Amino acid sequence: MNGATTSGELRAHNRVRLLRAVHDCGATRTRSQLTRDLRLARGTASVLVAGLVEDALLHEEPAREHGRGRPTQVPGPHPYGPVALAVDVREDAWELAECELGGRITVLEVRPHDGTPKGALRPLGAALAAHRERLGNRFIGVGVALAGPVRHGGLVDIAHLGWNAVDVPALLAAGARGENHPAGRRSPSGTAGAEATGRPHTSADLQGAHESDAPGPPHTVADSQGADEAAAHHRPHTSAPSSSAHGTGSPGLPPAIPDPCGAHETDAHHRPHTSAPSRAARVPGGTGAEGAAGASSGPYGSPDGEAETGRGAFGGMGMPVVGNDTAFAALAEARRGRLRDVRVGLHLHVDFDLGGVLVVDGRPVAGAGGVGAEFGHMTLTGSERLCACGALGCWGADVGANALLRHAGLAHGGGRGREEAERVLATGAAAVEETARTLGRGIASLVNAHDPEVVTLSGHGPELYERAGAALLEACEPYLMAIRRERPPRIEASALGWRGALLGAMESVFDAFLTVEGLEMWRDNHPDQARDTPGRQSVTHSTPAGDRA
């Protein structure tokens, strides 16, 4: 039951359902198809669409192919509609994109960093502030994926970079304000402490940006489909520092939408709960931050699974929803990839090391403390190697770019050596086979424990499987229980390539926005939004495939 008791509440509920359906299908289904999917009356659907168009939340275009009669319409994102910012922060670079309803992304910037918290996060905070200012009241929130466990409050630990309880919201806010204050690390209780400086790096300046990710002015929605689908095939390696303008306005992050826990707090207990059933996932490490001083629960929901009102995405300084990259990649795979409609799946992301998470009914399992996406730190393969996390025998220490470099006798660690590792992956047969065998043995242990239908691989995982799939399966089979060997799960490459974490960060923001409260805030913040229908614009907004060209 949706809890709606009046016609107005039911209309609000159905507005959310319709927008969620457009978003989830990639803005590819016609109005008539959506009407059938949602079991709406045709007249009801027409009224809902008209209202959403008036609120600059939807825009319709004729379907490209149709039969006899009047052409059917395809609802898609409005050119003045909501935009989320999403970031994938890796050990050596970060990638920033803007994302529309329907899941289409436009890469804005790709920048290398030095591996320290300040060097990675403060320039990112400045870039986020500039793009938020540019977007104005179209901005609905920021999602940030990081390559390490994220505790509640936005504290991240990346052991192999030396990051310990780094306060991500504080450093992003400092960058947005153009400050250089020392607060960068605080204890889980929230007390400010000395900044974690990270492990120093000695490698040469990073090179190798893809032309499609070259710095420059942001792509427009109209011209981004070709360029960004091409860019989606590439890893966001490390480009030269972007020359994108950072704006001339206020360096802070001005609130785009009023804080629902401020202006509306007095009547929060009296408003009937009319939200559509939330698909918000309590992702491991997911936390929505209100500002530098503290953080609230993010839009993944409270522990009982209820959807929050989007305070993390909209309130205060508009600080981001912060989450683990593997968990975000798994969320995206469940929404838009090969774990869609899979009841129990296992997602493994291989970069410098390995992360993994169980996905149940489309939701990554968060764990009691919100840091459940850490299968890479299980002792699954008998290794006694000391991991940077402090534990012995972590599986992830023997799978990924660091392991490939080690097998090849090359320098490794500290988030450096990506290009060298890719050369080993392309040419080092022995190193690739040994790494694939280790991956296969670990997969067997997890399959025995969790009984997944599908195991999906992202990052370097698909290439390992492509180049040494026979070795991986050969190593996996003997460690499977006999009953598992009769019907083993499928092992498949991610449908989203290297863009999974970015798309998952996007989903975290839209999960907060696509609620009754989120749409009410949008309407309150856009009182003069009704306008004539804009000129023709493409509404084919399917998620980029993400395979590398």
Side-chain angles (χ1 to χ4, degrees), residues 68-85:
R68 296 179 179 177
R70 187 171 60 183
T72 186
Q73 301 289 305
V74 178
H78 197 286
Y80 306 110
V83 174
L85 295 175

Side-chain angles (χ1 to χ4, degrees), residues 72-384:
T72 186
Q73 301 289 305
V74 178
H78 197 286
Y80 306 110
V83 174
L85 295 175
V87 189
D88 182 8
V89 181
R90 301 189 183 181
E91 292 92 330
D92 54 356
W94 49 256
E95 181 179 30
L96 168 63
E98 66 179 30
C99 314
E100 298 175 302
L101 184 80
R104 179 156 158 213
I105 62 175
T106 301
V107 173
L108 303 173
E109 301 186 36
V110 181
R111 293 200 202 178
H113 61 73
D114 63 5
T116 67
K118 276 187 181 181
L121 298 177
R122 287 188 175 174
L124 174 58
L128 288 171
H131 287 296
R132 175 168 181 172
E133 177 123 354
R134 173 180 59 83
L135 289 169
N137 63 4
R138 296 185 65 195
F139 170 83
I140 61 169
V142 180
V144 180
L146 291 120
V150 182
R151 288 176 269 173
H152 294 307
L155 302 180
V156 66
D157 297 89
I158 305 179
H160 51 282
L161 295 184
W163 293 26
N164 177 30
V166 171
D167 189 339
V168 176
L171 284 174
L172 291 176
R177 294 189 297 266
E179 296 179 5
N180 193 33
H181 68 71
R185 181 169 67 90
R186 57 184 167 87
S187 68
S189 63
T191 304
E195 178 168 14
T197 58
R199 184 176 299 165
H201 302 295
T202 59
S203 61
D205 291 340
L206 301 169
Q207 301 292 329
H210 292 289
E211 292 182 4
S212 57
D213 291 331
H219 300 113
T220 63
V221 173
D223 67 13
S224 65
Q225 184 171 355
D228 289 323
E229 289 183 4
H233 295 302
H234 299 293
R235 305 188 180 106
H237 282 291
T238 49
S239 66
S242 173
S243 60
S244 295
H246 281 180
T248 58
S250 169
L253 290 169
I257 295 179
D259 186 346
C261 296
H264 299 296
E265 195 167 20
T266 56
D267 66 351
H269 298 294
H270 304 289
R271 180 185 299 163
H273 181 73
T274 58
S275 298
S278 175
R279 295 195 57 195
R282 191 166 176 251
V283 173
T287 179
E290 293 177 53
S296 65
S297 297
Y300 303 109
S302 52
D304 62 0
E306 290 287 333
E308 298 278 341
T309 60
R311 180 170 181 163
F314 302 121
M317 289 289 288
M319 293 307 289
V321 182
V322 182
N324 174 266
D325 59 350
T326 298
F328 274 149
L331 175 64
E333 201 69 38
R335 297 280 177 86
R336 301 179 183 277
R338 294 202 164 94
L339 292 181
R340 187 164 188 167
D341 299 323
V342 171
R343 192 170 65 86
V344 179
L346 177 66
H347 186 76
L348 303 175
H349 181 69
V350 183
D351 197 353
F352 281 99
D353 57 9
L354 176 145
V357 66
L358 188 69
V359 181
V360 179
D361 294 328
R363 291 174 169 82
V365 176
V371 289
E374 297 302 326
F375 285 165
H377 292 285
M378 296 178 70
T379 54
L380 300 179
T381 57
S383 171
E384 294 187 357

